[in-house]
């Protein structure tokens, strides 16, 4: 009962990994890749990298919606509301 | 500029926001926490998208972000990144928080903390200390909003009157329609901000370069200020350590209004849908940042960097765009101010006053509605009029504290073994360190003070939790079916016997 709550399926673990990759992308040392005084599509490389991370964040959540759909216990939480109260 | 059009457009925005906010009630009775506090859990994915987006976009986007671009350059983009990561947090935690409300009847964040850690005291403490940063934030946004009215009226409306005009507008619809008003007005404000930011950014770019894309602006920056295109930026103060630690601390600050937004969704799936697309909303910052870069060439001698967008507008843009910028900036300030006042009134009443006085649900809801007035009249308004110099410091300490609440949320979402004592010890030590490293020795080694706090807070939290008694099986049985479905064996969930013996045998 007291174990840390971690993904228990391969799909859940893949979703978590994708999330961590995107988060790592915005932090040191990965952000060093973008830290150059050059322009990408007309905007600074750091700005382009930030925009890429914006899109990547949405992309991994879209993938997560397919790989790790919400459990019924959450989706139907209101069905048990009265029993709880 | 002598035109009255900008002020007229800005005041028209206020009038529209009031009408929308008041009408948002839609015939609902506002005498329950479910309705006034979380809009009867009725908001669909589109409203949630704009609510969460606009709630995160403050006056900073229209004033601070261009100012950062003008004075530092690309370090400003850390905001876009951490806001996108907040959406990842919303994607995971939001549906679970919504389920706490739907299944366990929770409304506030402190309510969940109190129940999970079996401590009304910890809940009340959460409510009070989270409100330090929340009120400082509301005051800052009120100052920003009043400043806009002051500028748009060319000083004809006194600053103090501007403060009360803004707070009066917010109070009218917040009292009448509660969270429903926040949802509707934020949706309106969110849409307005998107239009205004891109209109201003593209117009300013075209005015400077003759092009409709930003390339020409940045080619000039590249030629004259290449240090503005890389970290640590033009002032040399955004090191990689500060960039990284700022993103981490900011993305783990679970603010009370965000919790209420999740609670207000009509379903768990609505939160996921809106969170999935939420990062795209934050691209609204890009055109305003470009305005700041344009200011490097057109307004090189500004006294206050955060006025760059307004100065540029007044000097170079037609009155209609100035009015749009005024309305958009005011929308950004109000959309961030109102949820913090509402959330503070709600959590003070539900998690502090109600346990103390033993109030009924209905009395609590009534009191919460009326509490917005003393909060505005005695705290937000007077402090906004004084524009205290140390407000930013209070805000930083408050936000640093919010990050130190992370162990409580780890205990709720990820680690059932976490204990009340672990959270309290970590919190106290983390807050002390954050305060010291904000006030006395700011950000040692270029690392955000809140990150230093977490470095002490988290290990202490884990160690003390392992040494102290965990929450009862009955309490965990109420949370685990939501945060870890399938973890409990059949028949052990709340409502199936678990609550019959609240002091049941504890796991080690």
């Amino acid at each position: 009962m007291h174990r840390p709550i971690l993904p228990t399926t391969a799909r859940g673990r893949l979703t978590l990994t994708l999330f961590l990759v995107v988060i790592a992308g915005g932090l040191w040392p990965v952000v060093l890749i973008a830290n150059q005084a050059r322009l990408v599509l007309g905007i600074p490389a750091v700005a382009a990298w930030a925009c890429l991370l914006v899109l990547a964040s949405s992309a991994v959540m879209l993938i997560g919606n397919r790989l790790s759909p919400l459990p019924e216990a959450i989706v139907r939480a209101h069905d048990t509301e009265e029993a709880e109260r | 500029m002598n035109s009255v059009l900008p002020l007229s457009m800005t005041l028209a925005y206020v009038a529209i926001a009031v009408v929308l906010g008041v009408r948002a009630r839609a015939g609902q009775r506002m005498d329950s926490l479910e309705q006034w506090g979380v809009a009867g859990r009725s908001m669909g994915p589109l409203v949630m998208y704009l609510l969460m987006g606009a709630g995160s976009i403050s006056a900073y986007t229209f004033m601070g972000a261009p100012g950062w671009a003008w004075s530092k350059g690309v370090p400003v983009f850390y905001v876009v990144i951490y806001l996108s990561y907040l959406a990842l947090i919303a994607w995971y935690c939001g549906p679970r928080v919504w389920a706490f409300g739907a299944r366990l009847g929770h409304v506030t964040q402190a309510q969940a903390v109190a129940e999970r850690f079996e401590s009304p005291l910890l809940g009340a403490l959460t409510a009070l200390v989270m409100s330090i940063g929340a009120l400082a934030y509301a005051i800052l946004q009120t100052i920003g909003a009043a400043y806009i009215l002051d500028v748009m009226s060319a000083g004809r409306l006194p600053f103090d009157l501007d403060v009360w005009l803004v707070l009066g507008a917010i109070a009218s619809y917040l009292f009448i329609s509660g969270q429903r008003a926040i949802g509707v007005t934020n949706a309106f404000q969110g849409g307005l901000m998107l239009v205004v930011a891109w209109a201003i950014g593209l117009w300013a770019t075209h005015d400077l370069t003759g092009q409709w894309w930003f390339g020409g602006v940045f080619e000039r920056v590249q030629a004259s200020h290449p240090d503005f295109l890389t970290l640590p930026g033009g002032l040399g103060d955004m090191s990689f350590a500060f960039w990284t630690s700022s993103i981490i601390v900011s993305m783990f600050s679970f603010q009370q209004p965000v919790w209420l937004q999740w609670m207000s969704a009509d379903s768990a799936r609505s939160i996921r849908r809106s969170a999935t697309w939420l990062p795209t909303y934050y691209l609204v910052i890009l055109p305003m940042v470009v305005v700041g870069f344009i200011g490097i060439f057109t307004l090189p001698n500004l006294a206050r960097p955060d006025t760059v967008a307004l100065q540029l507008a007044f000097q170079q843009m037609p009155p209609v765009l100035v009015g749009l910028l005024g309305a958009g900036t005011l929308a950004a300030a109000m959309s961030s101010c109102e949820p913090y006042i509402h959330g503070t009134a709600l959590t003070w009443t539900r998690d502090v006053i109600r346990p103390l006085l033993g109030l009924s649900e209905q009395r609590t809801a009534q009191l919460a509605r009326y509490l917005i007035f003393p909060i505005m009249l005695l705290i937000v308004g007077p402090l906004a009029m004084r524009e205290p110099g140390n407000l930013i410091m209070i805000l930083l300490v408050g936000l640093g504290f919010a990050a130190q609440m992370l162990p409580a949320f780890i205990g709720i979402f990820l680690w059932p073994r976490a204990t009340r004592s672990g959270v309290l010890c970590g919190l106290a030590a983390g807050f002390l360190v954050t305060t010291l490293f904000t006030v006395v020795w700011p950000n040692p080694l270029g690392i955000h003070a809140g990150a230093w706090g977490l470095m002490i807070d988290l290990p202490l939290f884990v160690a003390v939790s392992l040494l102290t008694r965990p929450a009862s099986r009955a309490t965990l049985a109420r949370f685990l079916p939501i945060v870890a479905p399938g973890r409990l064996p059949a028949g052990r969930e709340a409502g199936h016997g678990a609550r019959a013996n609240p002091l049941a045998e504890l796991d080690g």
Side-chain angles (χ1 to χ4, degrees):
Chain A
M1 181 181 249
H2 291 145
R3 296 190 316 275
I5 296 165
L6 293 168
T8 52
T9 64
R11 287 171 159 233
R13 284 190 285 272
L14 178 58
T15 305
L16 175 62
T17 305
L18 290 172
F19 273 45
L20 292 176
V21 166
V22 171
I23 292 171
L27 309 179
W28 181 88
V30 183
V31 75
L32 284 171
I33 297 169
N35 196 42
Q36 302 169 38
R38 64 188 182 89
L39 305 183
V40 177
L41 300 175
I43 59 177
V46 172
W49 189 253
C51 293
L52 183 66
L53 288 172
V54 164
L55 299 178
S57 297
S58 281
V60 295
M61 286 188 273
L62 275 170
I63 294 168
N65 290 340
R66 301 295 297 270
L67 290 178
S68 307
L70 280 170
E72 285 298 301
I74 292 175
V75 174
R76 302 200 173 282
H78 53 285
D79 291 347
T80 53
E81 179 184 11
E82 291 307 314
E84 282 295 298
R85 287 176 173 172
Chain B
M1 180 177 293
N2 294 317
S3 172
V4 294
L5 188 62
L7 177 63
S8 305
M9 290 176 69
T10 309
L11 291 176
Y13 151 74
V14 177
I16 292 170
V18 169
V19 170
L20 288 174
V22 169
R23 289 173 59 91
R25 178 174 177 166
Q28 298 287 338
R29 290 177 61 87
M30 286 290 151
D31 56 359
S32 70
L33 291 175
E34 281 276 317
Q35 279 299 336
W36 192 79
V38 291
R41 308 185 200 279
S42 61
M43 295 181 186
L46 181 60
V47 173
M48 285 295 295
Y49 173 84
L50 291 168
L51 173 66
M52 292 198 286
S56 312
I57 296 292
S58 64
Y60 176 82
T61 302
F62 288 86
M63 296 172 71
W68 267 50
W70 182 87
S71 60
K72 299 170 192 275
V74 295
V76 67
F77 284 101
Y78 98 92
V79 177
V80 180
I81 294 175
Y82 97 71
L83 286 173
S84 297
Y85 292 172
L86 274 178
L88 298 177
I89 301 282
W91 185 90
Y92 182 79
C93 296
R96 286 157 178 79
V97 168
W98 177 85
F100 294 157
R103 182 164 179 165
L104 308 180
H106 291 178
V107 173
T108 64
Q109 184 182 62
Q111 210 176 342
V113 172
E115 184 170 336
R116 164 63 182 81
F117 295 100
E118 302 172 330
S119 171
L121 177 67
L122 185 58
L125 199 61
T126 303
L128 289 173
V129 294
M130 292 295 272
S131 62
I132 297 171
L135 286 176
Y137 195 74
I139 293 164
L140 275 177
Q141 298 305 319
T142 304
I143 292 171
Y147 175 75
I148 293 300
L149 283 177
D150 189 54
V151 170
M152 290 294 148
S153 69
R156 280 168 291 188
L157 295 177
F159 186 81
D160 291 1
L161 177 66
D162 298 331
V163 167
W164 294 115
L165 187 64
V166 169
L167 290 179
I170 292 175
S172 62
Y173 56 73
L174 214 48
F175 178 77
I176 292 172
S177 308
Q179 182 75 348
R180 285 181 185 273
I182 294 176
V184 171
T185 56
N186 272 24
F188 167 59
Q189 291 155 343
L192 179 67
M193 284 187 270
L194 270 179
V195 172
V196 170
W198 281 97
I200 297 288
L202 290 176
W203 193 94
T205 301
H206 187 261
D207 192 48
L208 181 77
T209 67
Q211 301 168 357
W212 289 107
W213 184 240
F214 309 132
V217 176
F218 289 113
E219 282 166 12
R220 288 184 64 171
V221 176
Q222 191 180 32
S224 61
H225 298 78
D227 51 327
F228 275 56
L229 297 186
T230 55
L231 302 177
L235 295 179
D237 58 355
M238 184 57 110
S239 64
F240 289 107
F242 198 69
W243 166 283
T244 298
S245 54
S246 296
I247 290 174
I248 290 172
V249 167
S250 303
M251 70 182 279
F252 287 123
S253 298
F254 286 76
Q255 298 291 341
Q256 163 79 0
V258 174
W259 199 275
L260 291 174
Q261 288 164 6
W262 297 340
M263 284 283 184
S264 304
D266 63 0
S267 71
R269 287 197 176 107
S270 287
I271 302 176
R272 267 211 172 175
R273 286 193 193 112
S274 49
T276 299
W277 296 105
L278 186 58
T280 59
Y281 186 87
Y282 300 129
L283 292 175
V284 69
I285 295 174
L286 179 62
M288 291 311 298
V289 165
V290 173
V291 171
F293 278 105
I294 290 171
I296 294 172
F297 306 108
T298 56
L299 299 164
N301 300 313
L302 276 178
R304 280 183 57 182
D306 60 1
T307 61
V308 60
L310 282 169
Q311 297 275 359
L312 193 77
F314 270 100
Q315 290 185 19
Q316 300 176 9
M317 294 184 188
V320 66
L321 278 184
V322 180
L324 266 180
L325 181 63
T329 312
L330 195 57
M334 286 172 66
S335 68
S336 303
C337 178
E338 61 201 37
Y340 282 87
I341 292 174
H342 171 260
T344 300
L346 194 61
T347 196
W348 280 7
T349 322
R350 174 60 188 80
D351 305 303
V352 182
I353 299 173
R354 181 179 181 176
L356 277 177
L357 303 182
L359 299 178
S360 68
E361 175 85 4
Q362 194 173 2
R363 291 288 295 167
T364 306
Q366 289 169 347
L367 187 60
R369 288 180 77 190
Y370 284 98
L371 196 62
I372 63 170
F373 295 113
I375 287 175
M376 289 182 176
L377 288 169
L378 302 176
I379 302 173
V380 179
L383 287 176
M385 286 193 297
R386 287 183 189 174
E387 296 187 72
N390 57 357
L391 193 63
I392 294 286
M393 190 61 74
I394 297 169
L395 178 67
L396 287 175
V397 173
L399 294 179
F401 184 86
Q404 306 314 312
M405 287 298 299
L406 180 60
F409 302 116
I410 290 175
I412 290 173
F413 295 110
L414 297 174
W415 195 36
R417 184 66 180 78
T419 71
R420 170 178 57 219
S421 304
V423 172
L424 278 169
C425 288
L427 186 61
F431 186 50
L432 184 66
V433 170
T434 304
T435 307
L436 280 175
F437 286 177
T438 302
V439 179
V440 181
W441 187 20
N443 308 316
L445 303 177
I447 294 173
H448 193 291
W452 282 110
L454 283 176
M455 282 187 246
I456 304 297
D457 181 344
L458 290 173
L460 200 58
F461 155 67
V462 171
V464 175
S465 289
L466 289 173
L467 293 171
T468 50
R469 185 184 174 91
S472 70
R473 183 180 288 274
T475 292
L476 295 181
R478 283 167 64 73
F479 281 82
L480 280 178
I482 295 170
V483 296
R487 170 72 67 91
L488 287 180
R492 302 298 292 273
E493 292 188 11
H496 297 281
R499 264 196 294 183
N501 180 11
L503 297 176
E505 177 192 351
L506 304 172
D507 281 355

